[in-house]
Amino acid sequence: MNLGSIGPRGGTADYDVAVAGFGPVGATAALTLARAGLRVVVLERERRLSDDPSESRASTFHPPTLEILDDLGVAGDLHEVGLVSDTYQYRDRREGLVAHFDLASIAGDTPFPYRLQSEQRNLVEIIAAELRAMPNVTVAMGTRVTGVEAGPDGAEFTVAPGGRVRARWAIGADGARSDVRAGLGIEFTGMTYPEQFLVVSTTEDFAKLVPGIASVNYISDPVEWLVLLRTPLHWRALFPIPPGADAEAEAQAPAEIQRRLQSIAPLDRDYDVAHSRIYRVHQRVAERFRDGPVLLAGDAAHINNPLGGLGMNSGIHDAAAAAAAILAAEGGDRRAVDGYAETRRAVARDYVRVVTHQNWESLKEQDPGERARHAARMRAIAADPVRAREHLLRATMLAGSRTATGTPR
């Protein structure tokens, strides 16, 4: 893997595939294509990979994602820096445990009947190490796409620092503020949630503070719902922040962060807070996932709220499917790229968007009767082995993952 060398300054460099973005999605696509022997360039706007262990980005890998990564030979290394979570719970702030799900129910459906908790930067670092041994890959850090031209013979990116990159195929995996998507003039329609989300990481062990708690917990409440999950380094809590500048400023105050953590499990001292941040959450899907030889994937193509851990996972599925489509087109089946765009957009629109929004609505439900009915439904599902398996197949993205989601398995 070459670092930072895409050709003479101001000149044009030619590749088989150009990938914009070196997050989990771009990295997965680059490794898949490079393993197939194509000449790949990765253009990443950041100057270096993140090395912040407290960075609160995506951390959940679902079973079909682990299958994709296992095919690439990197799942083993990811497990070494991950935490296996084979159960999760729905809880209520006032009533306690509502439903407990054991992913052993889907052991017959996947070799990975669990969620693997591991920060997304771990996967990128593992793949970067693989790419370093591959002479047909160039990773250009600190290189931003400033212009895109898509034509019948390929794509051409204008990049900063000055230069141009030309490739037969390109993948825009450069995040929610995608320069590739913007350069192609593709609309990114959807909605923004009224509240922002506060994420707090702590070194305190909630497994000792809340008896019987699972590693992943969705806790409903009409006033202050939350998600509480364990990662290899921390426990992480996600809270809603009401709209308004005053609420945002208050939420960042140390005393308010302590109040929120103490409301989960009281301590006779302050919680040790490793990291906290507030971010705005959207549900958006690109108008189209393909413009000629350019395919969009991951957050560049669709973004959603994090409730259920579907964002990064569906993005990695995009990456695998986009790479498979390009390889099929290289072999003469150019219909594959059309299939990619149609299938993956349908998944983002009809599955990821719907499920994550439903998760948000159920956690914050205020009507007592509807809350009670939802709790009864979840208890009944968890108590029925057949229904529990069906629920888990959908929640872990296994349902239809080898057909309807367009992944290559």
Side-chain angles (χ1 to χ4, degrees), residues 290-323:
R290 178 192 174 202
D291 190 327
V294 183
L295 310 181
L296 297 182
D299 285 357
H302 53 92
I303 54 176
N304 55 270
N305 77 52
L307 305 178
L310 305 188
M312 176 186 65
N313 286 271
S314 61
I316 290 174
H317 299 181
D318 290 346

mmCIF file of all heavy atoms in Angstrom, residues 290-323:
data_model
loop_
_atom_site.group_PDB
_atom_site.id
_atom_site.type_symbol
_atom_site.label_atom_id
_atom_site.label_comp_id
_atom_site.label_asym_id
_atom_site.label_seq_id
_atom_site.Cartn_x
_atom_site.Cartn_y
_atom_site.Cartn_z
ATOM 1 N N ARG A 290 -26.480 5.511 -7.701
ATOM 2 C CA ARG A 290 -25.524 5.337 -8.797
ATOM 3 C C ARG A 290 -25.655 6.477 -9.788
ATOM 4 O O ARG A 290 -26.761 6.928 -10.101
ATOM 5 C CB ARG A 290 -25.767 4.008 -9.523
ATOM 6 C CG ARG A 290 -24.817 3.799 -10.697
ATOM 7 C CD ARG A 290 -25.229 2.651 -11.591
ATOM 8 N NE ARG A 290 -24.377 2.592 -12.773
ATOM 9 C CZ ARG A 290 -24.701 2.007 -13.909
ATOM 10 N NH1 ARG A 290 -25.866 1.398 -14.024
ATOM 11 N NH2 ARG A 290 -23.871 2.010 -14.935
ATOM 12 N N ASP A 291 -24.526 6.963 -10.242
ATOM 13 C CA ASP A 291 -24.488 7.906 -11.355
ATOM 14 C C ASP A 291 -23.400 7.407 -12.302
ATOM 15 O O ASP A 291 -22.209 7.617 -12.071
ATOM 16 C CB ASP A 291 -24.161 9.322 -10.865
ATOM 17 C CG ASP A 291 -24.347 10.375 -11.951
ATOM 18 O OD1 ASP A 291 -24.101 10.052 -13.134
ATOM 19 O OD2 ASP A 291 -24.731 11.510 -11.638
ATOM 20 N N GLY A 292 -23.811 6.695 -13.362
ATOM 21 C CA GLY A 292 -22.840 6.107 -14.280
ATOM 22 C C GLY A 292 -21.902 5.144 -13.561
ATOM 23 O O GLY A 292 -22.347 4.191 -12.932
ATOM 24 N N PRO A 293 -20.587 5.407 -13.609
ATOM 25 C CA PRO A 293 -19.617 4.495 -12.988
ATOM 26 C C PRO A 293 -19.405 4.744 -11.497
ATOM 27 O O PRO A 293 -18.567 4.099 -10.881
ATOM 28 C CB PRO A 293 -18.335 4.808 -13.761
ATOM 29 C CG PRO A 293 -18.457 6.267 -14.065
ATOM 30 C CD PRO A 293 -19.919 6.500 -14.344
ATOM 31 N N VAL A 294 -20.159 5.695 -10.906
ATOM 32 C CA VAL A 294 -19.977 6.054 -9.497
ATOM 33 C C VAL A 294 -21.110 5.470 -8.663
ATOM 34 O O VAL A 294 -22.294 5.729 -8.932
ATOM 35 C CB VAL A 294 -19.929 7.577 -9.307
ATOM 36 C CG1 VAL A 294 -19.657 7.915 -7.838
ATOM 37 C CG2 VAL A 294 -18.872 8.213 -10.207
ATOM 38 N N LEU A 295 -20.757 4.701 -7.640
ATOM 39 C CA LEU A 295 -21.727 4.116 -6.714
ATOM 40 C C LEU A 295 -21.578 4.781 -5.355
ATOM 41 O O LEU A 295 -20.458 5.031 -4.901
ATOM 42 C CB LEU A 295 -21.498 2.607 -6.574
ATOM 43 C CG LEU A 295 -21.379 1.784 -7.863
ATOM 44 C CD1 LEU A 295 -21.185 0.305 -7.520
ATOM 45 C CD2 LEU A 295 -22.588 1.975 -8.751
ATOM 46 N N LEU A 296 -22.695 5.057 -4.693
ATOM 47 C CA LEU A 296 -22.676 5.589 -3.335
ATOM 48 C C LEU A 296 -22.878 4.455 -2.344
ATOM 49 O O LEU A 296 -23.630 3.510 -2.610
ATOM 50 C CB LEU A 296 -23.773 6.635 -3.145
ATOM 51 C CG LEU A 296 -23.700 7.911 -3.993
ATOM 52 C CD1 LEU A 296 -24.845 8.845 -3.631
ATOM 53 C CD2 LEU A 296 -22.350 8.609 -3.814
ATOM 54 N N ALA A 297 -22.223 4.563 -1.179
ATOM 55 C CA ALA A 297 -22.323 3.518 -0.160
ATOM 56 C C ALA A 297 -22.222 4.140 1.226
ATOM 57 O O ALA A 297 -21.610 5.189 1.422
ATOM 58 C CB ALA A 297 -21.212 2.475 -0.348
ATOM 59 N N GLY A 298 -22.802 3.456 2.209
ATOM 60 C CA GLY A 298 -22.694 3.913 3.589
ATOM 61 C C GLY A 298 -23.379 5.243 3.811
ATOM 62 O O GLY A 298 -24.397 5.559 3.189
ATOM 63 N N ASP A 299 -22.821 6.044 4.732
ATOM 64 C CA ASP A 299 -23.442 7.317 5.086
ATOM 65 C C ASP A 299 -23.523 8.281 3.913
ATOM 66 O O ASP A 299 -24.327 9.215 3.929
ATOM 67 C CB ASP A 299 -22.661 7.984 6.226
ATOM 68 C CG ASP A 299 -22.906 7.321 7.569
ATOM 69 O OD1 ASP A 299 -23.733 6.385 7.633
ATOM 70 O OD2 ASP A 299 -22.277 7.727 8.565
ATOM 71 N N ALA A 300 -22.705 8.099 2.894
ATOM 72 C CA ALA A 300 -22.829 8.938 1.704
ATOM 73 C C ALA A 300 -24.147 8.681 0.982
ATOM 74 O O ALA A 300 -24.650 9.552 0.272
ATOM 75 C CB ALA A 300 -21.660 8.688 0.753
ATOM 76 N N ALA A 301 -24.709 7.494 1.186
ATOM 77 C CA ALA A 301 -25.944 7.099 0.508
ATOM 78 C C ALA A 301 -27.162 7.164 1.408
ATOM 79 O O ALA A 301 -28.276 7.423 0.947
ATOM 80 C CB ALA A 301 -25.798 5.681 -0.052
ATOM 81 N N HIS A 302 -26.966 6.919 2.706
ATOM 82 C CA HIS A 302 -28.103 6.907 3.630
ATOM 83 C C HIS A 302 -27.598 7.067 5.059
ATOM 84 O O HIS A 302 -26.559 6.523 5.431
ATOM 85 C CB HIS A 302 -28.900 5.602 3.508
ATOM 86 C CG HIS A 302 -28.052 4.365 3.659
ATOM 87 N ND1 HIS A 302 -27.841 3.731 4.867
ATOM 88 C CD2 HIS A 302 -27.350 3.645 2.741
ATOM 89 C CE1 HIS A 302 -27.048 2.677 4.685
ATOM 90 N NE2 HIS A 302 -26.738 2.611 3.400
ATOM 91 N N ILE A 303 -28.330 7.831 5.854
ATOM 92 C CA ILE A 303 -28.008 7.961 7.278
ATOM 93 C C ILE A 303 -29.271 7.745 8.085
ATOM 94 O O ILE A 303 -30.388 7.965 7.598
ATOM 95 C CB ILE A 303 -27.382 9.339 7.618
ATOM 96 C CG1 ILE A 303 -28.269 10.488 7.129
ATOM 97 C CG2 ILE A 303 -25.986 9.450 7.043
ATOM 98 C CD1 ILE A 303 -27.754 11.857 7.529
ATOM 99 N N ASN A 304 -29.111 7.284 9.321
ATOM 100 C CA ASN A 304 -30.254 6.965 10.159
ATOM 101 C C ASN A 304 -29.874 7.148 11.618
ATOM 102 O O ASN A 304 -28.694 7.319 11.948
ATOM 103 C CB ASN A 304 -30.703 5.523 9.909
ATOM 104 C CG ASN A 304 -29.584 4.520 10.107
ATOM 105 O OD1 ASN A 304 -28.869 4.216 9.151
ATOM 106 N ND2 ASN A 304 -29.409 4.015 11.321
ATOM 107 N N ASN A 305 -30.859 7.106 12.486
ATOM 108 C CA ASN A 305 -30.526 7.178 13.914
ATOM 109 C C ASN A 305 -29.830 5.883 14.338
ATOM 110 O O ASN A 305 -29.945 4.854 13.663
ATOM 111 C CB ASN A 305 -31.780 7.494 14.747
ATOM 112 C CG ASN A 305 -32.699 6.300 14.953
ATOM 113 O OD1 ASN A 305 -32.293 5.227 15.387
ATOM 114 N ND2 ASN A 305 -33.978 6.488 14.641
ATOM 115 N N PRO A 306 -29.069 5.916 15.427
ATOM 116 C CA PRO A 306 -28.242 4.756 15.793
ATOM 117 C C PRO A 306 -28.980 3.675 16.566
ATOM 118 O O PRO A 306 -28.341 2.701 16.994
ATOM 119 C CB PRO A 306 -27.163 5.395 16.673
ATOM 120 C CG PRO A 306 -27.856 6.539 17.341
ATOM 121 C CD PRO A 306 -28.807 7.080 16.296
ATOM 122 N N LEU A 307 -30.277 3.795 16.759
ATOM 123 C CA LEU A 307 -31.016 2.863 17.611
ATOM 124 C C LEU A 307 -31.213 1.523 16.906
ATOM 125 O O LEU A 307 -32.054 1.378 16.028
ATOM 126 C CB LEU A 307 -32.361 3.471 18.006
ATOM 127 C CG LEU A 307 -32.263 4.846 18.676
ATOM 128 C CD1 LEU A 307 -33.641 5.392 19.002
ATOM 129 C CD2 LEU A 307 -31.393 4.773 19.934
ATOM 130 N N GLY A 308 -30.414 0.557 17.284
ATOM 131 C CA GLY A 308 -30.420 -0.764 16.656
ATOM 132 C C GLY A 308 -29.092 -1.115 16.031
ATOM 133 O O GLY A 308 -28.854 -2.264 15.651
ATOM 134 N N GLY A 309 -28.204 -0.128 15.915
ATOM 135 C CA GLY A 309 -26.876 -0.397 15.370
ATOM 136 C C GLY A 309 -26.893 -0.818 13.912
ATOM 137 O O GLY A 309 -26.095 -1.670 13.501
ATOM 138 N N LEU A 310 -27.754 -0.195 13.099
ATOM 139 C CA LEU A 310 -27.880 -0.615 11.708
ATOM 140 C C LEU A 310 -27.059 0.227 10.737
ATOM 141 O O LEU A 310 -26.841 -0.188 9.597
ATOM 142 C CB LEU A 310 -29.353 -0.579 11.269
ATOM 143 C CG LEU A 310 -30.356 -1.369 12.122
ATOM 144 C CD1 LEU A 310 -31.715 -1.375 11.440
ATOM 145 C CD2 LEU A 310 -29.876 -2.783 12.374
ATOM 146 N N GLY A 311 -26.620 1.406 11.133
ATOM 147 C CA GLY A 311 -25.973 2.317 10.198
ATOM 148 C C GLY A 311 -24.677 1.797 9.618
ATOM 149 O O GLY A 311 -24.554 1.602 8.404
ATOM 150 N N MET A 312 -23.671 1.578 10.477
ATOM 151 C CA MET A 312 -22.384 1.078 9.989
ATOM 152 C C MET A 312 -22.548 -0.291 9.340
ATOM 153 O O MET A 312 -21.930 -0.579 8.296
ATOM 154 C CB MET A 312 -21.366 0.989 11.123
ATOM 155 C CG MET A 312 -20.025 0.386 10.691
ATOM 156 S SD MET A 312 -18.876 0.129 12.057
ATOM 157 C CE MET A 312 -19.728 -1.123 13.036
ATOM 158 N N ASN A 313 -23.382 -1.139 9.932
ATOM 159 C CA ASN A 313 -23.552 -2.484 9.389
ATOM 160 C C ASN A 313 -24.135 -2.454 7.980
ATOM 161 O O ASN A 313 -23.631 -3.117 7.068
ATOM 162 C CB ASN A 313 -24.442 -3.302 10.320
ATOM 163 C CG ASN A 313 -23.724 -3.723 11.582
ATOM 164 O OD1 ASN A 313 -23.099 -4.774 11.628
ATOM 165 N ND2 ASN A 313 -23.785 -2.888 12.607
ATOM 166 N N SER A 314 -25.198 -1.673 7.784
ATOM 167 C CA SER A 314 -25.766 -1.610 6.440
ATOM 168 C C SER A 314 -24.779 -0.974 5.473
ATOM 169 O O SER A 314 -24.740 -1.319 4.287
ATOM 170 C CB SER A 314 -27.084 -0.836 6.453
ATOM 171 O OG SER A 314 -26.909 0.492 6.891
ATOM 172 N N GLY A 315 -23.933 -0.048 5.975
ATOM 173 C CA GLY A 315 -22.906 0.538 5.118
ATOM 174 C C GLY A 315 -21.873 -0.472 4.678
ATOM 175 O O GLY A 315 -21.432 -0.470 3.520
ATOM 176 N N ILE A 316 -21.457 -1.350 5.587
ATOM 177 C CA ILE A 316 -20.506 -2.401 5.220
ATOM 178 C C ILE A 316 -21.155 -3.371 4.234
ATOM 179 O O ILE A 316 -20.502 -3.862 3.302
ATOM 180 C CB ILE A 316 -19.988 -3.120 6.479
ATOM 181 C CG1 ILE A 316 -19.083 -2.174 7.282
ATOM 182 C CG2 ILE A 316 -19.212 -4.398 6.114
ATOM 183 C CD1 ILE A 316 -18.619 -2.720 8.611
ATOM 184 N N HIS A 317 -22.458 -3.622 4.402
ATOM 185 C CA HIS A 317 -23.165 -4.457 3.428
ATOM 186 C C HIS A 317 -23.183 -3.772 2.061
ATOM 187 O O HIS A 317 -23.017 -4.428 1.025
ATOM 188 C CB HIS A 317 -24.592 -4.728 3.893
ATOM 189 C CG HIS A 317 -24.680 -5.453 5.197
ATOM 190 N ND1 HIS A 317 -25.881 -5.809 5.777
ATOM 191 C CD2 HIS A 317 -23.716 -5.883 6.065
ATOM 192 C CE1 HIS A 317 -25.651 -6.423 6.928
ATOM 193 N NE2 HIS A 317 -24.346 -6.474 7.117
ATOM 194 N N ASP A 318 -23.377 -2.434 2.072
ATOM 195 C CA ASP A 318 -23.276 -1.687 0.818
ATOM 196 C C ASP A 318 -21.914 -1.916 0.170
ATOM 197 O O ASP A 318 -21.812 -2.143 -1.043
ATOM 198 C CB ASP A 318 -23.406 -0.176 1.079
ATOM 199 C CG ASP A 318 -24.787 0.271 1.494
ATOM 200 O OD1 ASP A 318 -25.745 -0.504 1.344
ATOM 201 O OD2 ASP A 318 -24.897 1.418 1.985
ATOM 202 N N ALA A 319 -20.862 -1.792 0.983
ATOM 203 C CA ALA A 319 -19.497 -1.914 0.454
ATOM 204 C C ALA A 319 -19.274 -3.259 -0.208
ATOM 205 O O ALA A 319 -18.713 -3.347 -1.315
ATOM 206 C CB ALA A 319 -18.480 -1.697 1.579
ATOM 207 N N ALA A 320 -19.711 -4.325 0.476
ATOM 208 C CA ALA A 320 -19.534 -5.666 -0.085
ATOM 209 C C ALA A 320 -20.336 -5.825 -1.371
ATOM 210 O O ALA A 320 -19.852 -6.403 -2.359
ATOM 211 C CB ALA A 320 -19.953 -6.716 0.940
ATOM 212 N N ALA A 321 -21.568 -5.301 -1.368
ATOM 213 C CA ALA A 321 -22.408 -5.426 -2.555
ATOM 214 C C ALA A 321 -21.892 -4.564 -3.704
ATOM 215 O O ALA A 321 -21.928 -4.976 -4.871
ATOM 216 C CB ALA A 321 -23.848 -5.041 -2.200
ATOM 217 N N ALA A 322 -21.398 -3.356 -3.397
ATOM 218 C CA ALA A 322 -20.853 -2.487 -4.442
ATOM 219 C C ALA A 322 -19.619 -3.117 -5.077
ATOM 220 O O ALA A 322 -19.453 -3.105 -6.304
ATOM 221 C CB ALA A 322 -20.503 -1.115 -3.861
ATOM 222 N N ALA A 323 -18.744 -3.671 -4.244
ATOM 223 C CA ALA A 323 -17.541 -4.316 -4.767
ATOM 224 C C ALA A 323 -17.909 -5.516 -5.623
ATOM 225 O O ALA A 323 -17.334 -5.741 -6.706
ATOM 226 C CB ALA A 323 -16.629 -4.732 -3.614
#
